[in-house]
């Protein structure tokens, strides 16, 4: 072949290769995904960092001159090395770490034990326990805080006695408020994460491994320590990171149980700073929290090794033989679980329901029974003249907004999550797969309050490029709520999508390709039908998370965009705890009903959604 023909052939081959890459639908989807993730995640993060170095108009006099927007280290210096550092940073940081470590340890122990009992033992009444154990995930932690106060608050600080104090018991303030109460409440909430992750890992273990240890003469304790624990360790370590990051970033529970005794953490300090328009200091605190979470994730990855998935063993276990609890242990453990669920889960909900029917707090008598907070007419002497929630336009608006927000986000968030999961699953071990996986994980590291503050700051003004408005100002709109909710919950949505897509063999698509099926036809005819169960589980994961969300949206709420969690928060802070209880009960009932329907009709499985 002549040199000119060789050059032409190479040029033509290169053009065909470029054309194949550019026109491949999968590559187009990857490119669009990366661009959107950079715009919606990376740019807001960089903007948050830049804001901490920009001088605000109100602080010009404090720094001795300059103009708004000038570069400054004033906010970092005030936070890290000033007389205010102890109050603003060090003490809240210590409190945050204490809460994070204690909740992680307690939640991991509780969740792991429950997971082992449910998956590997011959525990009776598993259908009941499998539903009861997941209830804490569906109840927001701030709602549990309300129930805790209803049981343990004292007249000295609460204004009215709780259930225990009304019985004549002397409830110590350290039990009603402060770190002990916060740790207990958050443990009863976040153990569900450990249960979901560890139970998924245990389900994948072939019980023959444990049986071999038993044949060799190993006792149950040794088998558990030497065989079972190492196999589920990656799931446990992932649960530690999940729990620790959530615990140090939570705001609602700290507000309810910490604020009355001046017990503040970084998240509550962050909220107070951003809410008082000291955005620069608030964002600086958020960056420190991101660094702490990132260090925890880094240590977690080093401990796990190269494994980056929540799953412990790929594929199904060959066989699963249940381990007997013994004639004595079985009834004792069963009774202990019934007591735990009755006292730790059922009783707080019952107390919450009882309080919603009380005209005055702390008076547990039939004379004090009322339906006013549910269906009562307006009375100037009760709840500042507001009618019961079902006759309250504010409640109806909040209910509509919550249902609309969860439905829209559930659908779009799940679709995006499945697409991102498809990219991650098909691109495992390749650059684009790793890039998408890392970008999607970033919102998880950012505290919810700060994430809402970033989007409030970013989208309060029109987004323009070369004078062309790409995105109008979104403050006070439902679109901003939707956008911030979808992006913040992408880590869970993508995790559910990845877990779902990894279960679909690539051979099916390869066979369809050989038969001439295009990308979209393969996706519609093969991938989507096979992922239906995972789609429903992913939808429920997002639905439950967004329905109970408070921290993320508290800064961007307006009267027209109010949701049920925010309305409950307002009522509680406005000295109307009964109305707040009513709103919380309605919200929990919706979540529980939707989950029950999805679980019965579509076999939604939250454990598989979080497994990844």
């Amino acid at each position: 072949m002549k040199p000119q023909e060789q050059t032409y052939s190479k040029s033509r081959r290169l053009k065909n290769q470029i054309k194949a890459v550019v026109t491949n639908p999968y590559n187009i989807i990857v490119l669009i995904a990366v661009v959107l993730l950079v715009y919606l995640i990376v740019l807001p993060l960089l903007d948050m960092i830049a804001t901490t170095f920009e001088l605000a108009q109100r602080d010009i006099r404090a720094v001795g001159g300059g103009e708004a927007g000038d570069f400054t280290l004033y906010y970092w210096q005030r936070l890290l090395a000033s007389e205010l550092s102890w109050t603003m940073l060090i003490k809240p940081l210590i409190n945050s770490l204490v809460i994070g470590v204690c909740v992680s340890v307690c939640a991991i122990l509780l969740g792991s034990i429950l997971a082992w009992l449910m998956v590997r033992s011959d525990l009776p009444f598993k259908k009941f326990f499998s539903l009861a154990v997941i209830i804490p995930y569906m109840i927001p932690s701030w709602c549990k805080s309300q129930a805790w106060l209803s049981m343990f608050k004292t007249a000295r600080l609460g204004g009215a006695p709780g259930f225990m104090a009304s019985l004549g018991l002397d409830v110590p303030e350290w039990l009603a408020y402060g770190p002990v109460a916060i740790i207990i409440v958050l443990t009863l909430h976040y153990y569900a994460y450990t249960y979901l992750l560890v139970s998924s890992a245990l389900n994948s273990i072939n019980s023959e491994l444990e049986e071999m240890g038993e044949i060799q003469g190993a006792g149950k304790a040794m088998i558990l320590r030497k065989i079972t624990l190492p196999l589920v360790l990656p799931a446990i370590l992932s649960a530690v990171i999940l729990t620790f990051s959530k615990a140090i970033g939570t705001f609602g529970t700290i507000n309810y149980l910490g604020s009355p005794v001046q017990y503040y953490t970084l998240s509550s300090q962050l909220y107070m700073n951003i809410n008082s328009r000291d955005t620069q200091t608030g964002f600086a605190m958020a960056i420190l929290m991101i660094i702490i979470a990132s260090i925890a994730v880094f240590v977690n990855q080093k401990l796990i090794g190269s494994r980056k998935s929540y799953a412990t063993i790929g594929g199904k276990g060959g066989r699963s033989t249940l381990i007997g609890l013994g004639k004595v242990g079985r009834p004792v453990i069963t009774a202990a679980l019934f007591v735990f669920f009755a006292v730790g889960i059922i009783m707080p909900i019952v107390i919450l329901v009882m309080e919603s029917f009380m005209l005055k707090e702390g008076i547990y008598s039939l004379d004090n029974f009322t339906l006013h907070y549910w269906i009562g007419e307006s009375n100037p002497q009760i709840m500042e003249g507001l009618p019961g929630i079902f006759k309250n336009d504010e409640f109806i608006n909040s209910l509509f907004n919550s249902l609309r927000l969860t439905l829209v986000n559930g659908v779009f968030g799940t679709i995006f999550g499945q697409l991102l999961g498809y990219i991650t699953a098909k691109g495992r071990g390749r650059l684009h797969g790793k890039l998408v996986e890392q970008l999607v994980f970033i919102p998880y590291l950012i505290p919810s309050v700060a994430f809402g503050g970033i989007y409030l700051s970013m989208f309060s003004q029109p987004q323009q490029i070369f004078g062309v408005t790409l995105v109008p100002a979104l403050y006070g709109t439902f679109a901003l709520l939707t956008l911030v909710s979808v992006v913040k919950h992408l880590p869970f949505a993508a995790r559910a999508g990845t877990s779902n897509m990894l279960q679909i063999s690539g051979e099916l698509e390869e066979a369809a390709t050989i038969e001439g099926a295009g990308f979209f036809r393969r996706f519609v005819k093969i991938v989507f039908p096979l992922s239906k169960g995972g789609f429903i589980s992913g939808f429920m994961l997002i639905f439950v998370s967004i329905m109970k969300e408070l921290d993320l949206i508290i800064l961007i709420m307006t009267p027209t965009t109010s949701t049920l969690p925010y309305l409950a928060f307002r009522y509680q802070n406005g000295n109307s705890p009964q109305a707040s209880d009513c709103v919380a009960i309605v919200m929990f009932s919706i979540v529980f009903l939707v989950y029950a329907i999805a679980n019965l009709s579509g076999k939604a499985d939250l454990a598989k959604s979080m497994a990844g």
Side-chain angles (χ1 to χ4, degrees), residues 401-421:
N401 286 337
S402 288
L403 292 175
R404 184 172 55 152
L405 184 65
T406 51
L407 181 61
V408 172
N409 280 271
V411 172
F412 284 100
T414 305
I415 291 174
F416 295 152
Q418 296 295 312
L419 288 173
L420 292 172

Side-chain angles (χ1 to χ4, degrees), residues 265-323:
T265 62
L266 283 180
S267 59
S268 56
Q269 286 289 102
L270 189 156
Y271 169 76
M272 286 188 290
N273 279 292
I274 296 181
N275 195 45
S276 61
R277 298 295 185 268
D278 189 1
T279 307
Q280 289 82 353
T281 303
F283 282 174
M285 288 182 173
I287 293 171
L288 294 177
M289 294 175 71
I290 293 171
I291 292 174
I292 294 173
S294 299
I295 292 173
V297 171
F298 176 77
V299 173
N300 174 73
Q301 294 299 330
K302 287 297 182 182
L303 292 174
I304 292 178
S306 59
R307 184 183 300 275
K308 296 184 182 296
S309 170
Y310 285 131
T312 54
I313 296 179
K316 297 289 185 180
R319 198 156 50 86
S320 180
T321 303
L322 300 180
I323 298 175

Side-chain angles (χ1 to χ4, degrees), residues 93 96-105 107-108 186 190 193-194 237-250 289 291-297 444:
L93 174 60
S96 293
L97 294 177
V98 168
I99 296 297
V101 171
C102 292
V103 171
S104 297
V105 172
I108 296 303
L186 291 181
Y190 289 127
Y193 288 137
T194 302
L237 292 175
S238 295
V240 170
I241 297 303
L242 185 64
T243 305
F244 179 79
S245 300
K246 286 285 187 180
I248 66 171
T250 189
M289 294 175 71
I291 292 174
I292 294 173
S294 299
I295 292 173
V297 171
Y444 176 75

Side-chain angles (χ1 to χ4, degrees), residues 133-432:
V133 78
I134 205 67
I135 289 178
Y137 180 76
M138 294 183 279
I139 305 176
S141 58
W142 56 265
C143 187
K144 293 187 182 71
S145 302
Q146 288 181 249
W148 185 268
L149 289 176
S150 297
M151 290 186 65
F152 296 109
K153 66 182 174 183
T154 64
R156 294 184 294 273
L157 285 177
F163 179 72
M164 304 301 290
S166 69
L167 297 178
L169 299 175
D170 185 18
V171 180
E173 290 184 2
W174 60 263
L175 181 61
Y177 307 95
V180 174
I182 292 170
I183 291 169
I184 293 175
V185 168
L186 291 181
T187 297
L188 291 175
H189 180 69
Y190 289 127
Y191 85 81
Y193 288 137
T194 302
Y195 170 79
L196 290 171
L197 291 170
V198 175
S199 62
S200 178
L202 286 171
N203 273 316
S204 69
I205 297 176
N206 189 343
S207 62
E208 292 177 356
L209 298 171
E210 296 169 320
E211 290 173 5
M212 290 173 63
E214 191 172 1
I215 292 173
Q216 295 297 319
K220 292 180 180 178
M222 181 174 289
I223 291 173
L224 184 64
R225 189 176 70 255
K226 295 293 186 178
I227 298 176
T228 308
L229 182 60
L231 290 173
V232 300
L233 186 60
I236 292 176
L237 292 175
S238 295
V240 170
I241 297 303
L242 185 64
T243 305
F244 179 79
S245 300
K246 286 285 187 180
I248 66 171
T250 189
F251 163 73
T253 300
I254 307 300
N255 179 75
Y256 282 105
L257 302 179
S259 296
V261 291
Q262 307 298 308
Y263 188 86
Y264 300 116
T265 62
L266 283 180
S267 59
S268 56
Q269 286 289 102
L270 189 156
Y271 169 76
M272 286 188 290
N273 279 292
I274 296 181
N275 195 45
S276 61
R277 298 295 185 268
D278 189 1
T279 307
Q280 289 82 353
T281 303
F283 282 174
M285 288 182 173
I287 293 171
L288 294 177
M289 294 175 71
I290 293 171
I291 292 174
I292 294 173
S294 299
I295 292 173
V297 171
F298 176 77
V299 173
N300 174 73
Q301 294 299 330
K302 287 297 182 182
L303 292 174
I304 292 178
S306 59
R307 184 183 300 275
K308 296 184 182 296
S309 170
Y310 285 131
T312 54
I313 296 179
K316 297 289 185 180
R319 198 156 50 86
S320 180
T321 303
L322 300 180
I323 298 175
L325 296 175
K327 293 182 179 180
V328 177
R330 196 165 184 257
V332 170
I333 292 175
T334 303
L337 283 180
F338 273 115
V339 172
F340 167 73
F341 287 120
V343 175
I345 298 174
I346 305 302
M347 188 175 179
I349 295 176
V350 171
I351 297 296
L352 208 65
V353 173
M354 287 175 55
E355 190 174 75
S356 71
F357 292 105
M358 293 164 52
L359 183 62
K360 295 183 179 180
E361 291 183 86
I363 303 177
Y364 294 85
S365 65
L366 292 178
D367 295 339
N368 196 42
F369 182 89
T370 181
L371 293 174
H372 176 81
Y373 296 100
W374 290 96
I375 57 174
E377 301 291 343
S378 176
N379 186 334
Q381 297 181 347
I382 304 176
M383 208 169 73
E384 298 180 356
L386 293 175
I389 63 169
F390 287 124
K391 294 187 177 181
N392 190 331
D393 292 337
E394 194 174 35
F395 169 79
I396 302 301
N397 177 61
S398 298
L399 175 62
F400 174 74
N401 286 337
S402 288
L403 292 175
R404 184 172 55 152
L405 184 65
T406 51
L407 181 61
V408 172
N409 280 271
V411 172
F412 284 100
T414 305
I415 291 174
F416 295 152
Q418 296 295 312
L419 288 173
L420 292 172
Y422 182 81
I423 295 172
T424 302
K426 299 302 178 184
R428 282 208 159 183
R430 300 166 66 181
L431 178 60
H432 69 271

